[in-house]
Amino acid sequence: MTLLPIVGRELRVAARRKRTYWSRTSAAAMAFVVIGWMLLTVSRWMPPEMISRSIFSTLTMLLFVYALACGAGATADCISSEKREGTLGLLFLTDLKGYDIVLGKLAASALGNFYSLLAALPVLAIPLLLGGVSVDELVRASALLVNTMFFSVAVGMWASVRSHDDRRAMSATVGMIVLITAVLPAVAAIVGGYFSGRSAGSSSMNAIAEALLLPSPGFAMGLHQSMQFGGAKLGLFWGSLATTLALSLAFLSHAAWQLPRVWQDQVKERSFGHLLGNLIARLVHAVWQLPRAWQKKPGQPASPRLGDFMDRMTYGNTDQRKRLRDRLLDENPYLWLAARERLKPVVIWAFLANLALLWIAGAVWAGDWFFNPATYVMTALTLHSALKYWIATEASRRLNEDRRSGALELVLSTPLTVPEILAGQLRALGRQFARPVVVVLLIDLILMLAYRENQRYDEEWIGSWAAGMVVFVADMWFLAWFGMWQGLKSKSVHAATRTAAGVILVLPWVLYFCGMTLAAIGRAHINSFAAACALWVGISLTVGLIAATMARNNLSTRLRLLAMERYQPAGKSSWWPFGRKRDDAPPVIDS
Amino acid sequence: MSETPPPEPKPAVQTFGLTRSYGPMLALDHLDLTIQTGDLFGFIGSNGAGKTTTLRILATFLAPSAGRAEIFGHDVAKDGDAVRRMIGYMPDFFGVYKDMEVTEYLDFFAACYKIPARQRENTCADVLELVGLTEKRGALVGALSRGMQQRLGLARVLVHDPKLLLLDEPASGLDPRARIEMMAVLHELQRLGKTIIISSHILSELQTLCNTVGIIEKGKLIYSGPVQGVRDQMATGLIYWVTVASDAARAVELLRARPEIAAAEPVDGQVKVTFADGHRDASVLAEALLAGGVKLTGLWEDELGLEEVFLRVTRGETQ
Ligand SMILES: Nc1ncnc2c1ncn2[C@@H]1O[C@H](COP(=O)(O)OP(=O)(O)OP(=O)(O)O)[C@@H](O)[C@H]1O
Ligand SMILES: [Mg+2]
């Protein structure tokens, strides 16, 4: 009997998988591209030492973000998905232990990302050869990155064990990572008076600040970046890494300890499982209950449970449900199906309101310093990316869940036509997103005009905002179509969203960088800002248009086929997101 | 089967050399099936025989690799929309929308069939009544037991009042009472003029329920026709039980001597007689015993159930 049987199996499977090979290669290739690009573009006006330094920090920063994102990308849904499919219990019928499964799943879902990171690390050593970066720094960066990735996947695992719904798992992961990495240090900064210019507070305050800072990979990253200027905070850096590591292990142990206790949960969680929404719902519920609680006479039935309450919040009471049905069903049954969770649009507004609060808090706290172009651009970027990602998940959700559950098959056995289904889903997305998109565009406009008073880079400023807004609206449309298609053919909503975001959002950037690099190699420098901007918009629109058109064609011609051939054996392995279903590695369960 | 085309104008279902392969494997092998309008047709076969495959093709979910199938004269491959309006298909496994209320669920599917809103409410109430789920009308679908979901599935199939029902193992997961009730519902539906195809493993029920059956084995139709005919046609050797007043051993001797009789053996004081193929005249028995001076006190035909026939004609092999 080998130790940790699942881990061993996953390692062997991963080693054979084509995707592992590809992701490793492409990670290293990407790192090379970044280096090449920086060498080509900035090399003319920087001393070599500076170049190698900036390459090193840029790469470290990129890899750091990648490492942090891995939790949400790789592990967040790995246990919760098995809970939803009811396969988790089967694992426990064997004599596997909690830690077996947690570690096995961890290996299964995060190994690819880990290999990618390892593949990129040697590239990080290239600046070493150019001079200006020491071996020590390289060692520190590597330790930091690996540690950060471990932290992020551990949090993902922890959240996954606690969740049933994928949206809940995802938001819990992101929430926890952001909390520890960024929010706590920010609080520490306020407590310790780091930024406000006041002299440091009392030593107990400093101790608190330190306790909040140490576990944060963000803090370690900050130290790492500042150490190149010769700060002597080596102890603090390694201390922070050790704290983060301890915390990661704590997350994992907690997950392993909890797992055997949660797999039996019969709780019917509603598909709407947003952590934030849940929290608010609990509050509202409590407030709603308050006047009733003291009126309650003995013998009265117990007050409605939170689950019922959530249900009521999500779908309305029987009358409200009926009214929505009467309105939408006759128009397009699928529209009703996709739009009947009335909280969905509310959650977007809640998200926007939260951001607004944060923004105001930032403005109040930081004062004049807050009102600068960087803040505006960051705000717009956050809004745009959030809504884009959001629509990708929503577009793929209905079709994906219904195809997997077999409900789509039932719908297709009725005379409802494929164009009606697509139109219904699109209109549901419209109901959910149209108004928020308009509001975001208005915000864009305001932010754009807010800086115009200072004159100077007027045209470039306006131009880049216009470009961003055009691409934003277009991407929402592209993502709706491409997301639906991916939802239909992917294993999970998660995988669908990942592919959709990869093709519509990331691919244009990669092509843009490649284009710029080629231009630089060819000595055809794209010097004018307008040209660079136009290149980016052009690439984004072209890529999106091609992807959306293909998705649309595929949906119209193959929806029926894909939804019905339910035991279709997986096709040949393919990295091409437009064609047949990807041959994903077998899940742990089916050994 | 090489039967002559029936006199009726349009059979409910007719397949012509229907073939479906999955890769190299033939799941259906030149199936020629005819089901008349108004029949309650039982579809029997071992696991993997091809029942689900046939039903999925009829429900327009799968394209045949060769041959074709017609439902009320409409080709399933070419005229899918028309076919879908006429059939109610209940798959062996089907997904439900767990977070819908029972009425919502039916309302939604009724809307998919373009039933106008005013009519929908009544229809849903009616079909719920029919399957005995009226009390659960406000419950969440996910909170129903498996058997209740199965009933809801049957209700769903009925909302648009289809002419042909394709039910793939509808009774699985039902308790004995619910099964009997479902059979009663199906009987009633047949009386209302619907054609029903039901695949099932519970043969004793099909035997009393259906008026026609089809037996499929490894993708080939080996019998199709009236239930009573199965025995006559498929069973090799009719069996009779005989009791005699005196010496059973003598009776066995006498019976074995007759050429029409393949075997005779004493079992628990009675004699079990198996006729040779092609012989079915029981008077032979009386004659033989009388001639030998043995007094015949009882004679009855062995009731060969559908299950025994099924076991005899299939080998239970899966492909
Ligand atoms: N998608 C598929 N890919 C490959 N083979 C398939 C597929 N679907 C069915 N088969 C094969 O076709 C044959 C017939 O399957 P089918 O589901 O029709 O059997 P069945 O009679 O319904 O069996 P059961 O009684 O178990 O439901 C089986 O051998 C099965 O393995
Ligand atoms: Mg079957």
Side-chain angles (χ1 to χ4, degrees):
Chain A
M1 174 87 195
T2 48
L3 195 66
L4 302 174
I6 296 187
V7 179
R9 175 171 175 275
E10 287 305 329
L11 289 174
R12 283 194 299 278
V13 171
R16 282 197 304 267
R17 218 180 297 162
K18 258 210 181 107
R19 206 160 135 199
T20 316
Y21 171 77
W22 268 108
S23 64
R24 255 182 298 180
T25 316
S26 52
M30 287 279 265
F32 268 119
V33 167
V34 172
I35 289 192
W37 195 68
M38 294 191 71
L39 275 178
L40 283 167
T41 46
V42 298
S43 59
R44 268 156 295 119
W45 37 272
M46 260 193 200
E49 206 159 277
M50 283 272 282
I51 295 175
S52 98
R53 184 131 285 299
S54 64
I55 288 178
F56 184 72
S57 8
T58 311
L59 263 186
T60 315
M61 199 62 214
L62 284 177
L63 288 173
F64 179 73
V65 172
Y66 171 71
L68 271 186
C70 278
T75 47
D77 196 30
C78 69
I79 301 275
S80 44
S81 65
E82 293 222 358
K83 278 200 223 170
R84 287 196 303 278
E85 321 225 302
T87 47
L88 189 59
L90 296 180
L91 288 179
F92 276 104
L93 295 182
T94 66
D95 57 0
L96 291 175
K97 299 282 180 296
Y99 60 83
D100 266 335
I101 294 171
V102 163
L103 292 181
K105 275 288 169 190
L106 191 70
S109 30
L111 210 62
N113 302 55
F114 182 64
Y115 281 159
S116 301
L117 184 64
L118 284 192
L121 286 182
V123 186
L124 206 54
I126 292 179
L128 199 72
L129 306 177
L130 295 174
V133 176
S134 69
V135 179
D136 282 357
E137 266 174 289
L138 182 65
V139 169
R140 280 199 300 268
S142 309
L144 170 68
L145 291 172
V146 171
N147 200 41
T148 305
M149 176 173 278
F150 185 64
F151 164 75
S152 143
V153 297
V155 172
M157 180 60 69
W158 170 83
S160 194
V161 166
R162 301 169 51 87
S163 313
H164 186 268
D165 186 273
D166 62 333
R167 279 175 279 188
R168 192 203 187 104
M170 198 68 68
S171 45
T173 308
V174 173
M176 186 55 88
I177 290 178
V178 169
L179 180 77
I180 294 179
T181 310
V183 177
L184 289 188
V187 172
I190 299 171
V191 170
Y194 273 51
F195 286 158
S196 60
R198 273 176 279 139
S199 60
S202 65
S203 61
S204 68
M205 281 298 235
N206 275 339
I208 294 176
E210 205 138 281
L212 293 178
L213 282 172
L214 273 184
S216 160
F219 176 62
M221 184 66 196
L223 283 178
H224 172 75
Q225 295 287 45
S226 68
M227 257 186 285
Q228 51 178 293
F229 306 114
K233 294 180 186 142
L234 212 57
L236 209 52
F237 173 80
W238 290 111
S240 168
L241 284 201
T243 318
T244 311
L245 181 63
L247 194 65
S248 315
L249 291 174
F251 272 120
L252 275 188
S253 333
H254 189 244
W257 178 80
Q258 267 216 322
L259 192 58
R261 287 162 187 76
V262 296
W263 68 267
Q264 284 160 319
D265 74 330
Q266 308 288 302
V267 191
K268 294 245 162 36
E269 236 180 298
R270 298 280 146 262
S271 58
F272 170 74
H274 202 268
L275 197 65
L276 191 71
N278 204 335
L279 211 71
I280 296 170
R282 265 167 210 276
L283 272 176
V284 178
H285 180 234
V287 172
W288 179 73
Q289 283 255 296
L290 209 58
R292 285 161 184 80
W294 61 268
Q295 284 174 338
K296 205 171 89 182
K297 301 175 183 74
Q300 257 187 346
S303 52
R305 286 180 316 103
L306 180 69
D308 296 340
F309 176 76
M310 285 296 294
D311 230 41
R312 193 94 78 68
M313 293 277 290
T314 312
Y315 300 109
N317 58 30
T318 309
D319 278 348
Q320 288 162 327
R321 286 177 176 218
K322 178 99 178 56
R323 236 173 295 142
L324 187 72
R325 231 155 60 218
D326 286 346
R327 204 143 42 87
L328 300 186
L329 266 185
D330 283 319
E331 210 173 307
N332 182 333
Y334 209 85
L335 168 61
W336 171 79
L337 185 70
R340 67 200 185 89
E341 288 182 42
R342 56 177 193 159
L343 268 195
K344 271 185 176 176
V346 178
V347 177
I348 301 184
W349 292 120
F351 167 76
L352 292 180
N354 266 321
L355 267 191
L357 275 180
L358 265 181
W359 214 81
I360 293 170
V364 169
W365 173 57
D368 283 348
W369 170 83
F370 189 72
F371 295 93
N372 65 53
T375 315
Y376 301 163
V377 170
M378 279 310 290
T379 310
L381 271 183
T382 312
L383 285 171
H384 288 193
S385 337
L387 282 195
K388 285 178 187 178
Y389 199 79
W390 207 318
I391 202 173
T393 23
E394 285 301 328
S396 58
R397 177 169 304 280
R398 191 77 266 156
L399 284 173
N400 183 270
E401 287 179 354
D402 289 355
R403 194 209 66 214
R404 280 186 305 152
S405 78
L408 185 59
E409 194 178 282
L410 293 188
V411 173
L412 285 170
S413 79
T414 73
L416 200 68
T417 62
V418 170
E420 275 175 309
I421 291 178
L422 297 180
Q425 174 67 72
L426 271 187
R427 288 198 40 206
L429 289 175
R431 276 172 70 97
Q432 196 179 351
F433 287 97
R435 277 173 234 180
V437 165
V438 171
V439 168
V440 166
L441 285 177
L442 281 179
I443 295 175
D444 283 347
L445 216 58
I446 294 170
L447 291 178
M448 175 178 91
L449 296 179
Y451 186 61
R452 207 184 162 197
E453 290 149 25
N454 294 12
Q455 300 305 323
R456 290 236 290 179
Y457 298 112
D458 233 12
E459 275 160 30
E460 293 188 356
W461 176 252
I462 303 273
S464 51
W465 278 90
M469 285 155 77
V470 166
V471 170
F472 170 57
V473 174
D475 275 357
M476 292 297 275
W477 181 249
F478 298 148
L479 282 166
W481 275 103
F482 198 67
M484 288 200 293
W485 167 238
Q486 288 303 316
L488 187 69
K489 66 194 273 292
S490 302
K491 209 173 63 170
S492 63
V493 176
H494 190 63
T497 315
R498 206 167 43 197
T499 315
V503 170
I504 307 282
L505 304 181
V506 179
L507 186 61
W509 278 108
V510 174
L511 291 180
Y512 172 72
F513 278 123
C514 290
M516 293 295 267
T517 311
L518 285 181
I521 291 174
R523 296 288 157 198
H525 289 297
I526 300 181
N527 281 328
S528 95
F529 179 81
C533 215
L535 180 67
W536 181 70
V537 173
I539 289 176
S540 292
L541 294 186
T542 313
V543 168
L545 207 60
I546 292 174
T549 313
M550 281 173 116
R552 191 177 183 154
N553 288 342
N554 275 320
L555 278 168
S556 322
T557 53
R558 293 177 53 197
L559 188 137
R560 201 164 269 287
L561 211 73
L562 272 175
M564 289 177 176
E565 309 255 309
R566 56 177 157 165
Y567 343 82
Q568 196 68 31
K572 272 185 227 114
S573 169
S574 137
W575 51 270
W576 181 239
F578 301 105
R580 286 185 63 102
K581 197 174 152 217
R582 182 198 292 268
D583 183 7
D584 268 302
V588 171
I589 187 78
D590 65 6
S591 59
Chain B
M1 307 302 303
S2 57
E3 280 179 354
T4 47
E8 276 102 318
K10 240 178 231 170
V13 175
Q14 201 162 16
T15 69
F16 307 92
L18 196 63
T19 302
R20 167 77 204 202
S21 52
Y22 294 106
M25 202 211 56
L26 265 185
L28 280 188
D29 190 0
H30 293 90
L31 197 74
D32 292 312
L33 186 68
T34 305
I35 297 168
Q36 299 304 335
T37 307
D39 271 357
L40 212 171
F41 181 86
F43 206 23
I44 312 172
S46 339
N47 289 132
K51 305 181 293 294
T52 300
T53 304
T54 311
L55 291 180
R56 285 177 75 79
I57 291 178
L58 293 181
T60 76
F61 277 27
L62 269 182
S65 316
R68 63 200 174 82
E70 284 181 2
I71 286 181
F72 297 112
H74 296 271
D75 191 312
V76 291
K78 298 197 186 93
D79 206 359
D81 284 335
V83 168
R84 280 191 283 277
R85 248 176 304 233
M86 288 186 290
I87 60 166
Y89 171 55
M90 180 168 165
D92 44 355
F93 300 103
F94 55 91
V96 288
Y97 293 103
K98 290 190 172 160
D99 50 4
M100 275 188 202
E101 286 173 2
V102 168
T103 14
E104 274 182 315
Y105 184 75
L106 292 178
D107 208 10
F108 168 64
F109 280 104
C112 288
Y113 283 106
K114 322 271 190 228
I115 299 173
R118 321 190 69 234
Q119 210 176 312
R120 280 205 302 267
E121 210 162 322
N122 290 334
T123 311
C124 295
D126 288 349
V127 293
L128 279 181
E129 177 79 48
L130 195 64
V131 300
L133 273 184
T134 309
E135 279 159 45
K136 291 283 177 186
R137 129 169 51 84
L140 285 184
V141 175
L144 297 182
S145 74
R146 163 118 164 76
M148 288 179 185
Q149 290 186 1
Q150 204 77 5
R151 292 193 210 189
L152 181 62
L154 185 63
R156 181 192 67 79
V157 166
L158 295 172
V159 283
H160 62 297
D161 198 25
K163 291 204 275 185
L164 171 68
L165 295 180
L166 304 171
L167 310 176
D168 202 350
E169 299 183 25
S172 65
L174 295 185
D175 63 35
R177 163 175 288 278
R179 273 215 301 276
I180 291 167
E181 282 170 7
M182 171 173 281
M183 297 305 154
V185 170
L186 294 183
H187 249 312
E188 177 65 17
L189 289 170
Q190 187 198 15
R191 212 183 52 75
L192 293 174
K194 302 209 179 307
T195 312
I196 302 171
I197 303 181
I198 170 172
S199 95
S200 173
H201 292 137
I202 305 169
L203 302 176
S204 51
E205 280 172 4
L206 287 186
Q207 186 175 0
T208 51
L209 179 73
C210 303
N211 61 340
T212 51
V213 292
I215 301 181
I216 183 174
E217 170 87 340
K218 291 192 186 172
K220 288 198 175 72
L221 194 67
I222 54 180
Y223 174 80
S224 164
V227 177
Q228 297 83 357
V230 184
R231 230 173 301 153
D232 305 344
Q233 192 174 333
M234 305 307 293
T236 57
L238 215 54
I239 293 175
Y240 275 92
W241 291 91
V242 173
T243 53
V244 290
S246 47
D247 190 2
R250 168 94 182 113
V252 169
E253 226 169 85
L254 285 170
L255 291 172
R256 277 185 183 158
R258 297 292 297 232
E260 294 93 339
I261 290 165
E265 53 187 331
V267 180
D268 296 338
Q270 303 170 344
V271 182
K272 182 183 177 189
V273 184
T274 310
F275 274 88
D277 281 355
H279 295 277
R280 44 191 325 110
D281 186 3
S283 66
V284 169
L285 300 173
E287 251 169 57
L289 293 173
L290 216 58
V294 176
K295 196 173 170 203
L296 181 69
T297 56
L299 171 70
W300 63 94
E301 189 185 337
D302 192 293
E303 268 300 321
L304 204 56
L306 202 49
E307 294 188 20
E308 275 158 89
V309 176
F310 180 71
L311 288 180
R312 284 198 191 184
V313 299
T314 65
R315 304 239 190 82
E317 290 166 14
T318 46
Q319 321 193 32

